[in-house]
Amino acid sequence: MCHSCGNVGHLPARIDPRPMSELHLTEAEYTEYKSHSASDTLYKELADSDRPKLRVIGFNDDTKTVFRTCNPDGHDYIEVPWSTMDSVKWIAQRVEDEIRVALHHWYLATADGVIFKTFGELVCTTAAFRVKGQVVLTLLMPADLPAFAAAHLKQHKWKQTTPSPCTSSNALEKCVAEFHLIDVKPSTAWDAYLVQRRAADKSVEDDLKEFEGEDRPAVYEKIEEAIDDVVSNIDLGDAAPSVHDCIVPLSVDLADDGWGNVSSAEVLSRIYSLTNPAAIDVFLEYHYRTRYSSVEFYCNIYYRAHPSITDPELVLSTPQGPRKMNGFRSLLEMGLADMPPGRRWRAIEERTFDLSQAQARTLHRILFGEAADSDAESAGLGGQIDVREMIELLLASVGISFYVAFDPDDEEDVDAFTMGELRWEGIEGSERWLGQHIRSVAGCAPMPRDDEESDKEENDDDEDDEDDEDEDGWSDESVGRGAGPDCRHQ
C-alpha cells in the first residue's frame, strides 16, 4: 500500500497536488508498498546494468531536489537501463525503484510533447526511443501537466503548404491560392471542388487533433513516408508540397501486433487533381493472420475516379463486396487461396492486376492533365509525373511504398517495397510481379526478368515435409506470427 495515498500496487494515477518531496517514501515504506506487487519482476530481468542508460529529468525544482538525493553522484537526474524489448511501464518501474515515489503519482513525457499517461506503450512502437544518442524523458507531477502541455504539446498537421492571400471572388483563383494548383483548366466545377476539398482537409486535421499530446497513429506516418519516397524521385521543385497535399487520408483503421506487423487495415484516401476539378479515391483492405499450419492473407486495392467534382459535400464510401462496389474498380488483388487449414494446407497464391493501360492513362489525365509537347519549354505536370510514378502515388496514398524499376541497363535498379515502422506481411516476394504489370500499363521498357513466370522461390524441403504427420498435437489455433513449423508463407 502506498503510504502517501493508500493506493495498492500500480493503480492509475490520482490527481494529487502535493510535490514529489511529500510523496517520497522511506525504504521501509517502499518495501511494504512493493510487497503488494512482488510477482511483477519482469521489468528487472529485461534490462540489466550492461544495457544503455535512459535519462529522466525533473520538470520542477522540487522534483530535481528529490532526484539529487536519489542519484549516487548528486545529479538532478535519474538514469535507468532500457532495451528495445521494453514497455514504458517497465521503464517507469525502474525509475520508481530509484526515486521511491509510487508511479501512480507521476507521468513520463518526451521532449517533443508526448505524455505517457498509461505507461502501456511499447518502446518499439514509440518514436521517442528511435533517436540517436541517449534517450531523455521528463518526469511530470500532476501539477506540472498544464505548464508542460502549454510549452510542449505535440500537435499534428497534414498539409505542408499554407494558403496564399487572395481577395478574388473567383473560385478558380481561390483554389490556386489555397491549394497551390498547377496548370489549371477553366471549369464551372471549381466552386464544388473548393468547398469539398476544404471539407476533406478539415476532416484529416480533425482526426489528427485527437492525438494532440501523443504520437499520431503510425499509419499516417507510413502514408506520408510512402508519398515522400515517390515525390523525392521526381524533379518537381516547388511543386512537391502541393503534390503531397493533394493526397488526403480520409479514413484509416489499422491494427498491428504491437511490433509494427499489420494484422488488418482499411484505408481510404482521396487524391485531388492539381489541374482539374477532379479526384480519385483509393481504398486498401488488408488482412494477415498466421495459424499453426496455415496463413490467412489478402491485400486488395481499389480505385474510383471522380472526373468532375459536382457535389460540394464530402461523401465517403468504400467497396462492400463484389455486388456493391459503390463505383470502385479493382486495381490489384493479392492473397492466398482459401483452403481448409491443416497439415495438407498449401500457400497457393492468387494475384491479379486489373488496371489496364487505357484506364491508367485516363487516371493520369484526370490527376495531372495532358503532357505538353515534347519540344515545349515545360512539359507541364502531366509530363513531370508519368504513369509509372502516378501508380506509385496511388499505392502510396494508402501506405504501400513501392518503387518500380525502369532502367533495363542498370542491374541495381530493382522493384522494391519499403516497409519502415509498419510491415505489410504477405506482399514481399511480389515485387517483380507488381513491377512487371505496372511497367506494362505505363509503357515502360521491360526489365530483364519480366518474362519469368514467378518471382517466388520454391522451397523443395518444405514441400517434402508437408505430408509428414503432425506429431506435436498442435491444433490450428492462432498462435502468433510465424508460429508453427508448417507455416510456409514467405
Side-chain angles (χ1 to χ4, degrees):
M1 177 182 295
C2 175
H3 286 257
S4 300
C5 66
N7 260 5
V8 177
H10 300 123
L11 295 179
R14 293 182 176 180
I15 301 301
D16 193 322
R18 288 177 292 174
M20 178 175 283
S21 58
E22 296 183 19
L23 301 169
H24 184 58
L25 303 177
T26 66
E27 290 189 11
E29 291 171 339
Y30 187 70
T31 299
E32 181 183 349
Y33 159 70
K34 292 293 287 187
S35 68
H36 295 282
S37 56
S39 61
D40 188 7
T41 60
L42 186 59
Y43 72 96
K44 296 180 180 179
E45 301 169 7
L46 284 178
D48 54 36
S49 58
D50 294 330
R51 294 282 186 176
K53 294 295 192 296
L54 173 149
R55 179 171 295 184
V56 180
I57 61 176
F59 185 72
N60 62 55
D61 291 338
D62 180 80
T63 299
K64 293 176 182 178
T65 299
V66 174
F67 282 5
R68 279 192 287 268
T69 64
C70 299
N71 187 302
D73 299 320
H75 298 302
D76 59 357
Y77 57 79
I78 298 295
E79 290 186 338
V80 295
W82 72 286
S83 82
T84 55
M85 300 295 290
D86 263 329
S87 72
V88 177
K89 178 183 176 181
W90 293 334
I91 292 172
Q93 287 176 289
R94 295 181 200 120
V95 175
E96 181 187 49
D97 284 349
E98 296 293 328
I99 63 176
R100 300 200 306 275
V101 177
L103 61 78
H104 53 256
H105 285 297
W106 45 269
Y107 308 93
L108 291 176
T110 67
D112 61 353
V114 175
I115 302 174
F116 302 115
K117 293 186 176 181
T118 64
F119 295 149
E121 293 84 351
L122 296 175
V123 163
C124 64
T125 62
T126 306
F129 296 92
R130 296 192 295 270
V131 299
K132 295 181 179 179
Q134 188 175 48
V135 176
V136 178
L137 301 179
T138 301
L139 189 147
L140 304 173
M141 301 302 291
D144 297 330
L145 292 177
F148 182 86
H152 299 86
L153 183 62
K154 187 166 188 174
Q155 297 179 314
H156 307 288
K157 66 175 185 177
W158 182 256
K159 294 187 66 173
Q160 295 182 352
T161 62
T162 55
S164 300
C166 180
T167 58
S168 173
S169 60
N170 180 273
L172 175 55
E173 293 180 9
K174 288 182 179 179
C175 287
V176 171
E178 188 164 339
F179 307 120
H180 302 276
L181 304 184
I182 303 166
D183 303 328
V184 292
K185 307 296 187 295
S187 172
T188 58
W190 285 113
D191 291 273
Y193 177 100
L194 175 66
V195 176
Q196 188 191 111
R197 186 165 173 185
R198 281 176 174 173
D201 288 344
K202 184 178 185 302
S203 174
V204 67
E205 297 300 335
D206 288 346
D207 289 342
L208 291 174
K209 279 183 180 179
E210 296 182 11
F211 304 101
E212 286 186 347
E214 57 186 286
D215 286 329
R216 64 181 178 177
V219 64
Y220 289 101
E221 303 288 345
K222 185 64 180 176
I223 294 172
E224 193 148 49
E225 289 171 1
I227 295 170
D228 290 342
D229 286 343
V230 178
V231 172
S232 64
N233 289 320
I234 309 173
D235 186 13
L236 292 172
D238 295 338
S242 300
V243 173
H244 169 280
D245 288 356
C246 76
I247 300 174
V248 186
L250 294 173
S251 176
V252 296
D253 183 10
L254 181 143
D256 64 41
D257 62 357
W259 303 98
N261 300 303
V262 182
S263 54
S264 65
E266 289 190 354
V267 181
L268 174 67
S269 289
R270 181 163 294 177
I271 307 177
Y272 284 95
S273 172
L274 288 171
T275 62
N276 304 301
I280 294 173
D281 288 346
V282 185
F283 178 70
L284 162 75
E285 60 175 2
Y286 172 92
H287 172 78
Y288 190 96
R289 182 183 183 186
T290 58
R291 294 179 178 272
Y292 175 68
S293 58
S294 63
V295 176
E296 300 171 0
F297 162 65
Y298 60 79
C299 176
N300 303 326
I301 299 178
Y302 306 93
Y303 70 92
R304 179 177 61 179
H306 302 271
S308 180
I309 295 176
T310 57
D311 186 355
E313 185 178 355
L314 181 65
V315 179
L316 306 182
S317 63
T318 59
Q320 302 297 317
R323 295 186 177 182
K324 191 178 180 182
M325 293 296 289
N326 290 325
F328 281 83
R329 293 172 176 261
S330 172
L331 194 157
L332 64 87
E333 296 181 354
M334 294 184 285
L336 298 176
D338 186 13
M339 295 183 63
R343 61 186 179 85
R344 295 185 180 277
W345 181 86
R346 301 288 189 276
I348 300 176
E349 291 183 330
E350 295 180 332
R351 302 183 297 194
T352 61
F353 189 89
D354 299 305
L355 186 68
S356 70
Q357 187 174 79
Q359 291 167 337
R361 294 191 180 281
T362 298
L363 297 182
H364 183 265
R365 186 166 54 252
I366 288 173
L367 288 180
F368 306 118
E370 298 283 0
D373 295 336
S374 58
D375 59 350
E377 181 178 347
S378 173
L381 197 59
Q384 291 176 286
I385 301 175
D386 60 27
V387 174
R388 172 183 62 87
E389 293 159 337
M390 178 207 67
I391 298 175
E392 290 178 340
L393 281 174
L394 296 181
L395 301 178
S397 71
V398 289
I400 304 294
S401 180
F402 183 66
Y403 169 78
V404 182
F406 62 93
D407 186 355
D409 298 325
D410 186 353
E411 294 182 356
E412 297 183 357
D413 191 20
V414 295
D415 307 309
F417 289 107
T418 301
M419 293 298 175
E421 298 301 326
L422 283 181
R423 293 188 57 81
W424 305 99
E425 295 198 47
I427 66 174
E428 287 184 306
S430 295
E431 292 91 338
R432 187 159 48 81
W433 169 83
L434 181 55
Q436 174 187 358
H437 282 284
I438 293 176
R439 281 187 289 275
S440 177
V441 301
C444 299
M447 299 297 284
R449 296 181 60 197
D450 278 359
D451 58 347
E452 297 182 15
E453 291 185 1
S454 175
D455 53 356
K456 294 280 188 178
E457 294 183 1
E458 300 295 335
N459 189 323
D460 294 335
D461 292 336
D462 283 348
E463 293 293 334
D464 294 338
D465 292 341
E466 281 187 303
D467 290 332
D468 292 346
E469 290 290 335
D470 180 6
E471 299 177 353
D472 296 329
W474 288 86
S475 63
D476 192 50
E477 296 295 329
S478 175
V479 292
R481 291 179 178 274
D486 290 335
C487 178
R488 290 174 182 78
H489 186 63
Q490 302 296 323

